[in-house]
Amino acid sequence: MVTAAVGVSAQSVEIFGTVDAGFARLSGNGVSKTGVSTGGANISRLGFRGTEDMGGGLKAGFWLEAGMDVDSGQGKTAGVGGLSFNRRSTVSVMGGFGEIRLGRDDTPTFLSTLIFDPFLTNGVGGTMAFAMQGIPGAPGAPIQYSNTVGYHTPQNLGGFYGQLQYGFGEAASNAAYNKAGNYAGLRAGYRTGALNLAIAAAKMNGATAAADNDIANFGASYDFGVVKPMFLYASEKVNSVKISAMQFGFTAPMGAGQLRASYGKYDTSTNNADWSKLAIGYGYNLSKRTQVYGAIARISNKDGAQKSIAPQGMTATGTSLGGSASGVDIGIRHFF
Amino acid sequence: MVTAAVGVSAQSVEIFGTVDAGFARLSGNGVSKTGVSTGGANISRLGFRGTEDMGGGLKAGFWLEAGMDVDSGQGKTAGVGGLSFNRRSTVSVMGGFGEIRLGRDDTPTFLSTLIFDPFLTNGVGGTMAFAMQGIPGAPGAPIQYSNTVGYHTPQNLGGFYGQLQYGFGEAASNAAYNKAGNYAGLRAGYRTGALNLAIAAAKMNGATAAADNDIANFGASYDFGVVKPMFLYASEKVNSVKISAMQFGFTAPMGAGQLRASYGKYDTSTNNADWSKLAIGYGYNLSKRTQVYGAIARISNKDGAQKSIAPQGMTATGTSLGGSASGVDIGIRHFF
Amino acid sequence: MVTAAVGVSAQSVEIFGTVDAGFARLSGNGVSKTGVSTGGANISRLGFRGTEDMGGGLKAGFWLEAGMDVDSGQGKTAGVGGLSFNRRSTVSVMGGFGEIRLGRDDTPTFLSTLIFDPFLTNGVGGTMAFAMQGIPGAPGAPIQYSNTVGYHTPQNLGGFYGQLQYGFGEAASNAAYNKAGNYAGLRAGYRTGALNLAIAAAKMNGATAAADNDIANFGASYDFGVVKPMFLYASEKVNSVKISAMQFGFTAPMGAGQLRASYGKYDTSTNNADWSKLAIGYGYNLSKRTQVYGAIARISNKDGAQKSIAPQGMTATGTSLGGSASGVDIGIRHFF
């Protein structure tokens, strides 16, 4: 608010983003949809960030990042279409000890599902091994979380890396359930040369104790050069109800681009409600910053499940109990 | 989401915009209003855009543009006041063949009404020859459209130019009317030296087949140097109901600025509901980027019409059936 | 909208902002809350601004500034969480005569409460001497106002400075109360060497004449070097109901930072509803742009009052009639 205090050094602001739009065709239960989707290869965003070297090995940083649907121009926010920095909004202090962040940030449990999915969780082919939402009353594992304090390890630990995050639910101490909305998570990994391994786990408190969600996942990848296979296991558990995912995938350089494929099995402890998903895709790099991509995916449901495909920017067709669903997309992704 | 993938070259981002605010006074049916309006000369906006040369004559580009009301600071979005890139949100591939765009963009039918209006559709003087909204159940011809794929011709066709656009309504194939929300439009023009001519036409599918809207317009201008007369004809048709506009206007350099005037007649096939609008204005350029402008306009309604004037940032006064309405504004417009 | 008219000189755009997040613990009536707050030292914002030298001593300028909650990434807007330039959205013409602004801007009555508060109105320690909201039916004195025209004096008046502002309510002339929403305010001050004095006053018209609000304040500070004491008196009056604040505070350089403290008494003409607030804090500068801060504050209510503490990004705990409330925060503030 003090005039002298703002714009001290505007030159340090970096603007960044991703703009991604594509065609998609969805089908399920004999119903189909064709249209333009967004975020098929990478989530579209606009961000502002910067770091400041404060001397003595200390730096300060900020990051403000807003997601949006390129196909409609709508920003992403809770419930309404405004541009809010829903994807990341942090202030940091960094040093030899690592980085401490305050604000809204990616959760440790989400980051592992992202890293070990050939489709980076995006488009018709993206994994369903997060926010599985198969558990009655549970919102699914969160992607980002508000009101967090986080710690990220420095990068010089001989390949080991880790993240701790605590999110405050900010319930009043006299609330019926005063842990409501809290999130406590961690991620620990080892990455050296071709190998990358990580585990993550979190407890997310629901609106009541009966809705507390235990989230866990494990991922591994090995880059052979000609192909990089990936494995991902993830689970969510609310009381006696559990849902888990096991996904095998790979990426492989091919020509000026990358081939991607995955097969995931999703098991739930209730009602014969399992499903599986098969996806294959290719991204052709027109340049370092611009890619043309396409993917095709199919979900097969058991009698108690009716999962279908909904990339960002389109609503799902839905399908019948035990029916199948499929999707195909093709698009352009451009970084700036 | 992949850290290495963002901000590859932040230097390529261009920030642009327009900030426009003014005073306005509106009157109708003996009622008047005075206040501060926005977008009187040019729509206010903030945008981020850039292009990348990928070699071999190919470029990639993006454009994120958000409209806003300078008089209240509110961003423009569907229903609520957030900053969303409601004005343009596209990713493009460009080459010798022209440009292909995906996302939310101006419609071909709107662009012709803009180009051949001396007031660029803005302020109290702007034409009403688009989104005429005189047809029961019809929303009026759209300005921008979401979920589109578009093609723009290259600029070296000897003066010919054109645009094709298809917007997906994304209705499910089993919807009661599965064409709902589709838009298919084109624009073709010829511009050389002083002459500019263009036709545009589109079919916009409504929520039901009975609300399908046929949109068409034709515009022409000739720049004699001392004066540039403009002509614009536009029509919208839903079933047997048709509304059409015929507008004569001109711009003329005068001192360090520009004089503008227009007279439009609006005819509808129902209920003696015709009206006409007369407008005159002047914009004085303080610099290449800053202009002080003013305009005055008056609407005369026949017995079945009650149109009034509502510049951005103010609500209309309304008027009685067969009454008249008028508006005046004066403001500052600044590009950055 | 005219393509040639945008982005004339993108280089002139300055991006600026403040990112501030902290921990806070609130308590009242035996109830406590712990969490992450935002804007504890300075309000978080993102802005775009620039000026243009048009020659002959004339400049043009614009300013678009959006507030946000860093702890949740949500932008601030009326009712919903989108990024809108709710904090400032102006277009200006400046010259030897001073500056004329149009759009949404800070009110003169708010600026004095900001300048003479050691906590700049922020965090758990910020003054309550604006928007006191103790008057039934009154919204409290406004911070920013939409639809304004303002005049700011030039800086070379021998220490005198001033601001005039008129905000249009834009009510129709036939409205039941056609002054509704108007604001007329002024601020006049004298600042030279160590001394700073200012008075401000405004009339804000309510939805009815019975809700018209008379706002006034007076502030003074003197910088002795080792300590800078500050005094602030503020009042709001709706009909026969009046609420007034008298606050004593100081800032003092201490080590690489600043000590801050204030004591405010709040008197209301109704119901034995007075309260007082005591606050002390410290800000340690890691660099010119990054500060670690902390503050602690306590409110004591008389039997007819139940005020509590609510920094940005957290809801208050509330307290009982005649109860007390307290708050503590610690955080990082970073300018860019």
Side-chain angles (χ1 to χ4, degrees):
Chain A
M1 186 61 75
V2 185
T3 322
V6 297
V8 175
S9 172
Q11 289 78 353
S12 66
V13 180
E14 184 181 355
I15 306 174
F16 68 95
T18 304
V19 181
D20 181 327
F23 296 97
R25 181 176 176 85
L26 313 178
S27 58
N29 197 23
V31 178
S32 66
K33 267 189 190 180
T34 302
V36 175
S37 58
T38 185
N42 294 79
I43 298 289
S44 297
R45 79 199 75 185
L46 173 69
F48 303 87
R49 63 184 175 193
T51 57
E52 181 198 15
D53 193 329
M54 300 186 294
L58 273 184
K59 288 190 291 185
F62 73 94
W63 189 304
L64 301 168
E65 178 181 329
M68 59 202 163
D69 285 349
V70 178
D71 66 337
S72 66
Q74 281 223 321
K76 308 289 280 186
T77 187
V80 293
L83 182 70
S84 71
F85 296 99
N86 63 309
R87 291 180 48 78
R88 183 169 161 186
S89 161
T90 63
V91 58
S92 302
V93 173
M94 294 157 272
F97 56 85
E99 177 178 358
I100 293 169
R101 291 185 195 167
L102 278 175
R104 182 174 172 86
D105 201 2
D106 287 330
T107 61
T109 40
F110 173 71
L111 284 174
S112 283
T113 54
L114 170 76
I115 290 166
F116 298 104
D117 178 29
F119 293 93
L120 303 171
T121 75
N122 296 318
V124 299
T127 186
M128 299 167 83
F130 66 99
M132 290 186 275
Q133 292 171 326
I135 299 179
I143 298 175
Q144 289 93 15
Y145 220 76
S146 290
N147 297 303
T148 72
V149 51
Y151 168 71
H152 292 253
T153 52
Q155 300 198 329
N156 58 354
L157 300 181
F160 290 97
Y161 60 91
Q163 177 189 5
L164 293 171
Q165 186 181 72
Y166 188 79
F168 292 90
E170 299 187 355
S173 57
N174 65 345
Y177 183 50
N178 66 14
K179 293 182 180 174
N182 291 343
Y183 172 97
L186 65 83
R187 185 167 63 107
Y190 179 72
R191 180 175 43 217
T192 184
L195 179 69
N196 193 358
L197 292 172
I199 58 165
K203 176 106 183 176
M204 181 172 66
N205 297 109
T208 64
D212 283 357
N213 195 352
D214 290 298
I215 305 158
N217 55 57
F218 168 76
S221 64
Y222 195 92
D223 193 347
F224 290 101
V226 294
V227 63
K228 183 181 179 184
M230 296 178 172
F231 172 76
L232 175 61
Y233 171 84
S235 72
E236 296 176 29
K237 186 173 174 300
V238 174
N239 284 316
S240 61
V241 183
K242 185 175 175 183
I243 186 165
S244 64
M246 194 173 310
Q247 180 179 286
F248 302 87
F250 70 88
T251 62
M254 180 183 282
Q258 185 191 59
L259 188 68
R260 305 135 183 177
S262 68
Y263 176 72
K265 278 182 58 62
Y266 301 83
D267 296 309
T268 165
S269 57
T270 35
N271 295 333
N272 188 29
D274 303 344
W275 74 93
S276 63
K277 182 175 183 179
L278 181 65
I280 185 163
Y282 182 72
Y284 180 83
N285 295 312
L286 293 172
S287 74
K288 278 179 89 162
R289 292 165 50 205
T290 305
Q291 181 179 100
V292 177
Y293 65 85
I296 182 165
R298 180 182 178 85
I299 288 177
S300 301
N301 288 292
K302 287 203 176 165
D303 289 351
Q306 51 185 145
K307 296 283 180 183
S308 58
I309 295 178
Q312 287 207 45
M314 289 185 76
T315 56
T317 53
T319 189
S320 55
L321 280 169
S324 62
S326 63
V328 54
D329 59 15
I330 175 168
I332 307 164
R333 185 267 295 144
H334 176 73
F335 293 131
F336 66 93
Chain B
M1 185 61 74
V2 184
T3 322
V6 297
V8 175
S9 173
Q11 288 78 354
S12 67
V13 180
E14 184 182 355
I15 306 174
F16 68 97
T18 304
V19 181
D20 180 329
F23 296 98
R25 181 175 176 86
L26 312 178
S27 59
N29 197 23
V31 178
S32 66
K33 267 188 188 181
T34 302
V36 175
S37 59
T38 186
N42 294 79
I43 298 288
S44 296
R45 79 199 78 185
L46 174 68
F48 304 87
R49 63 183 174 194
T51 56
E52 181 198 14
D53 192 329
M54 301 187 291
L58 273 185
K59 289 191 289 185
F62 72 95
W63 189 305
L64 301 169
E65 179 181 329
M68 60 203 165
D69 284 349
V70 177
D71 66 338
S72 66
Q74 282 221 321
K76 307 290 279 187
T77 185
V80 294
L83 182 70
S84 72
F85 295 98
N86 63 308
R87 289 180 47 78
R88 183 169 162 186
S89 162
T90 62
V91 58
S92 303
V93 173
M94 293 157 272
F97 57 85
E99 177 179 357
I100 294 168
R101 291 186 195 166
L102 276 176
R104 181 173 173 86
D105 201 3
D106 287 330
T107 60
T109 39
F110 173 71
L111 284 174
S112 283
T113 55
L114 170 75
I115 289 165
F116 298 104
D117 179 28
F119 293 92
L120 302 171
T121 76
N122 296 318
V124 299
T127 186
M128 301 167 83
F130 66 99
M132 290 186 275
Q133 293 170 327
I135 299 178
I143 299 174
Q144 288 93 14
Y145 220 75
S146 291
N147 296 304
T148 71
V149 51
Y151 167 71
H152 292 252
T153 52
Q155 300 197 331
N156 58 355
L157 300 181
F160 290 98
Y161 60 91
Q163 176 189 5
L164 293 171
Q165 187 182 71
Y166 188 78
F168 292 89
E170 299 187 356
S173 58
N174 65 344
Y177 183 51
N178 66 14
K179 292 182 181 174
N182 291 344
Y183 172 97
L186 65 83
R187 186 166 64 105
Y190 177 72
R191 181 174 43 216
T192 184
L195 179 69
N196 193 358
L197 293 171
I199 57 165
K203 175 107 185 175
M204 180 172 66
N205 297 108
T208 63
D212 283 358
N213 196 352
D214 290 298
I215 304 158
N217 55 58
F218 167 77
S221 65
Y222 194 92
D223 193 347
F224 290 100
V226 295
V227 62
K228 183 181 178 184
M230 296 178 173
F231 172 75
L232 175 61
Y233 170 84
S235 72
E236 296 176 29
K237 185 172 176 300
V238 174
N239 282 316
S240 61
V241 183
K242 184 175 174 182
I243 186 165
S244 63
M246 194 172 311
Q247 180 178 286
F248 302 86
F250 70 87
T251 62
M254 179 183 285
Q258 185 191 61
L259 187 68
R260 305 136 184 176
S262 69
Y263 175 72
K265 280 183 56 61
Y266 300 82
D267 297 309
T268 165
S269 57
T270 35
N271 295 332
N272 188 29
D274 302 345
W275 75 93
S276 64
K277 182 175 183 179
L278 181 65
I280 185 162
Y282 182 72
Y284 180 82
N285 295 311
L286 293 171
S287 73
K288 276 179 90 161
R289 292 165 49 204
T290 304
Q291 181 180 100
V292 177
Y293 66 85
I296 182 165
R298 179 182 178 84
I299 289 177
S300 301
N301 288 292
K302 287 204 176 165
D303 289 352
Q306 53 186 145
K307 296 284 180 183
S308 57
I309 294 178
Q312 288 207 45
M314 290 186 75
T315 56
T317 53
T319 190
S320 55
L321 278 169
S324 63
S326 63
V328 54
D329 59 14
I330 175 168
I332 308 163
R333 185 268 294 145
H334 176 72
F335 293 131
F336 66 94
Chain C
M1 187 61 74
V2 184
T3 321
V6 297
V8 175
S9 173
Q11 288 78 352
S12 66
V13 179
E14 184 182 355
I15 306 173
F16 68 96
T18 303
V19 181
D20 181 328
F23 296 97
R25 181 175 176 85
L26 312 178
S27 58
N29 197 23
V31 177
S32 66
K33 267 189 190 181
T34 303
V36 176
S37 60
T38 186
N42 294 79
I43 298 288
S44 297
R45 80 199 74 185
L46 174 69
F48 303 87
R49 63 183 174 194
T51 56
E52 180 199 15
D53 193 330
M54 301 187 291
L58 273 186
K59 288 191 291 184
F62 73 94
W63 189 306
L64 301 168
E65 179 180 328
M68 60 202 163
D69 285 348
V70 177
D71 66 338
S72 66
Q74 282 221 322
K76 308 289 279 187
T77 187
V80 293
L83 182 71
S84 71
F85 295 99
N86 63 309
R87 289 179 49 77
R88 183 169 161 185
S89 160
T90 63
V91 59
S92 302
V93 173
M94 294 158 273
F97 57 85
E99 177 179 357
I100 294 168
R101 291 186 196 167
L102 276 176
R104 181 174 174 86
D105 201 2
D106 287 330
T107 61
T109 40
F110 174 71
L111 284 174
S112 282
T113 55
L114 169 76
I115 289 165
F116 299 104
D117 179 28
F119 294 93
L120 303 171
T121 76
N122 296 318
V124 299
T127 187
M128 299 167 82
F130 66 99
M132 290 186 275
Q133 293 171 327
I135 299 178
I143 299 174
Q144 289 93 16
Y145 220 75
S146 291
N147 296 305
T148 72
V149 52
Y151 167 71
H152 292 253
T153 52
Q155 300 198 330
N156 57 354
L157 301 181
F160 290 98
Y161 60 91
Q163 176 188 5
L164 293 171
Q165 186 181 73
Y166 188 79
F168 292 89
E170 300 188 354
S173 57
N174 64 345
Y177 183 51
N178 65 14
K179 293 182 180 173
N182 291 344
Y183 173 98
L186 66 84
R187 185 167 64 105
Y190 178 72
R191 181 175 44 217
T192 183
L195 179 69
N196 193 357
L197 292 171
I199 57 164
K203 175 107 185 176
M204 180 172 67
N205 297 109
T208 63
D212 283 357
N213 195 352
D214 290 299
I215 305 157
N217 55 59
F218 167 76
S221 65
Y222 194 92
D223 193 347
F224 290 100
V226 295
V227 63
K228 183 181 179 184
M230 297 177 173
F231 172 76
L232 175 62
Y233 171 84
S235 72
E236 297 176 27
K237 186 172 174 301
V238 174
N239 284 316
S240 61
V241 184
K242 184 176 175 184
I243 186 165
S244 63
M246 195 173 309
Q247 180 178 285
F248 303 86
F250 71 87
T251 62
M254 179 183 283
Q258 185 191 60
L259 189 68
R260 304 136 184 176
S262 69
Y263 176 73
K265 278 183 58 61
Y266 301 83
D267 297 310
T268 164
S269 58
T270 35
N271 295 333
N272 188 28
D274 302 345
W275 74 94
S276 64
K277 182 175 182 179
L278 182 64
I280 184 162
Y282 183 71
Y284 180 83
N285 295 312
L286 293 172
S287 73
K288 278 179 87 161
R289 291 166 49 204
T290 304
Q291 181 179 100
V292 178
Y293 66 85
I296 183 164
R298 180 181 177 85
I299 289 177
S300 300
N301 288 293
K302 286 204 176 165
D303 289 352
Q306 51 185 144
K307 296 282 179 184
S308 58
I309 294 177
Q312 287 206 46
M314 289 186 74
T315 56
T317 54
T319 189
S320 55
L321 279 169
S324 63
S326 63
V328 53
D329 59 15
I330 176 168
I332 307 163
R333 185 269 294 144
H334 176 73
F335 293 130
F336 66 93

